Amino acid sequence: MHEIGFAWLEITGKCQLLCEHCYPASGPDGTHGTMRSEDWRRVVDQLAERGVGMVQFIGGEPTLHPDLPTLAGHALDQGLRVEIFSNLVHVPTAVWEVLERPGVSLATSYYSDDPAEHAAITRRPSHARTRTNIAEAVRRKIPIRAGVVDVREGQRSAAAQQELITLGVPEIGTDRLRQVGRGVRDQQPDASQLCGRCASGVIAISPDGEVWPCVFSRWLPIGNVLETALAEILDSPEAERVRSELRLEFTERQTTLPEAGKKPCDPQCGPSCGPACNPSCWPTGTGPCSPKGGCQPNYD
């Protein structure tokens, strides 16, 4: 039986923003997909039965899904810890109430201390609202982490990190551009865009029920929960084939690059990524690259 400890639940492709590097290419024209709330609850039940410890509700922008509070509450009732990954442009009252429940944490992305640069990356004037809601989460003592993604040459990423520190955010990760979705520049999505840890211990599920090794590996579907039980998908020959191919790719990458063994999360990680196994893909202590993880999973 293939063991997993963490699952991304991509409950919507809808988002207020149009971030220039968004890996699912979500935006205002996105939809909640074909997964209904009862489908998501069934998936949560199956994840709990599988021994998964934590789920992350992600998008798109998960707060735009009307059933997010109910789904998060169901996950908590099943004994799972919950993280909500939001752009924090707008937080409905019902979501604040969920975020204040024990076992729930919050994650967001941040790009610059300069509102104009931040807006240029998100393609909407979002900086002030995101900053205000980060401060509100800190005020409410909600566990929160933030990721700063290097998207542009000369981006004020270091200043963004400093602003987050000033706001009181206790955990700040960094990431490079992942060339998937709108992030594609001069490469095509392939294993070189992955952190090297998605072949073990994690799983992602899309708004249409597709199952991937992680949210970035969207070209590698291993099944669909609308057609097959999650346990059957995880233990299927196709899933093992994909995991084996990824493990081989990551092993070869680590053994052929000069930095092999120094940055186990991402052998292609450059000096800007930092020494402590940054960037971080999942909450501290839950991923196989603890304490900092492997890749920043949401750019919206």
Side-chain angles (χ1 to χ4, degrees):
M1 184 177 75
H2 180 70
E3 294 184 4
I4 57 173
F6 178 84
W8 292 274
L9 305 182
E10 190 175 300
I11 60 174
T12 183
K14 192 174 185 64
C15 185
Q16 309 98 322
L17 308 181
L18 276 168
C19 296
E20 63 182 16
H21 57 298
C22 179
Y23 65 85
S26 59
D29 293 333
T31 73
H32 301 322
T34 54
M35 288 281 284
R36 301 163 300 175
S37 288
E38 52 263 42
D39 297 320
W40 284 116
R41 288 195 296 271
R42 184 180 69 254
V43 164
V44 166
D45 293 343
Q46 292 174 355
L47 289 168
E49 291 170 3
R50 194 76 177 191
V52 172
M54 187 172 202
V55 294
Q56 181 189 90
F57 290 96
I58 194 171
E61 171 50 40
T63 63
L64 294 179
H65 196 295
D67 295 326
L68 172 63
T70 301
L71 293 174
H74 183 70
L76 290 171
D77 291 343
Q78 295 302 307
L80 301 172
R81 287 177 295 138
V82 169
E83 182 173 72
I84 296 173
F85 208 128
S86 170
N87 59 34
L88 295 181
V89 168
H90 173 66
V91 184
T93 299
V95 175
W96 281 123
E97 292 172 353
V98 168
L99 287 168
E100 290 184 305
R101 291 185 60 176
V104 181
S105 60
L106 175 65
T108 193
S109 295
Y110 207 63
Y111 305 104
S112 178
D113 65 327
D114 176 7
E117 183 176 56
H118 197 279
I121 292 170
T122 64
R123 295 177 177 171
R124 293 290 187 275
S126 56
H127 180 269
R129 287 176 289 175
T130 296
R131 189 184 190 281
T132 295
N133 283 321
I134 289 173
E136 178 63 13
V138 172
R139 186 191 71 80
R140 290 174 181 248
K141 296 181 171 52
I142 294 167
I144 181 172
R145 67 187 181 99
V148 178
V149 185
D150 257 331
V151 179
R152 297 178 163 196
E153 187 73 27
Q155 182 179 331
R156 292 178 59 83
S157 302
Q161 293 178 61
Q162 185 56 54
E163 184 170 42
L164 290 168
I165 291 170
T166 301
L167 287 170
V169 177
E171 183 180 348
I172 302 166
T174 60
D175 199 3
R176 61 177 175 89
L177 175 69
R178 306 279 170 171
Q179 297 204 37
V180 179
R182 282 199 296 268
V184 170
R185 301 293 186 268
D186 58 354
Q187 302 176 38
Q188 289 301 309
D190 61 22
S192 69
Q193 303 306 314
L194 305 177
C195 73
R197 296 289 176 175
C198 59
S200 176
V202 296
I203 204 72
I205 301 171
S206 84
D208 292 319
E210 279 199 318
V211 181
W212 306 306
C214 79
V215 286
F216 286 115
S217 57
R218 311 175 80 80
W219 66 93
L220 292 173
I222 59 173
N224 191 299
V225 295
L226 290 174
E227 302 167 356
T228 310
L230 183 59
E232 291 182 41
I233 294 172
L234 294 175
D235 297 332
S236 69
E238 176 63 11
E240 183 51 36
R241 182 190 66 79
V242 170
R243 287 191 294 263
S244 295
E245 289 183 358
L246 288 175
R247 282 193 292 265
L248 178 61
E249 163 73 22
F250 300 146
T251 299
E252 290 178 349
R253 199 164 75 186
Q254 289 177 338
T255 56
T256 57
L257 292 175
E259 293 178 324
K262 295 183 180 179
K263 296 181 175 66
C265 277
D266 190 346
Q268 295 190 348
C269 194
S272 64
C273 290
C277 212
N278 270 334
S280 63
C281 211
W282 34 70
T284 299
T286 65
C289 214
S290 180
K292 289 294 184 182
C295 55
Q296 190 65 36
N298 192 330
Y299 299 153
D300 296 336

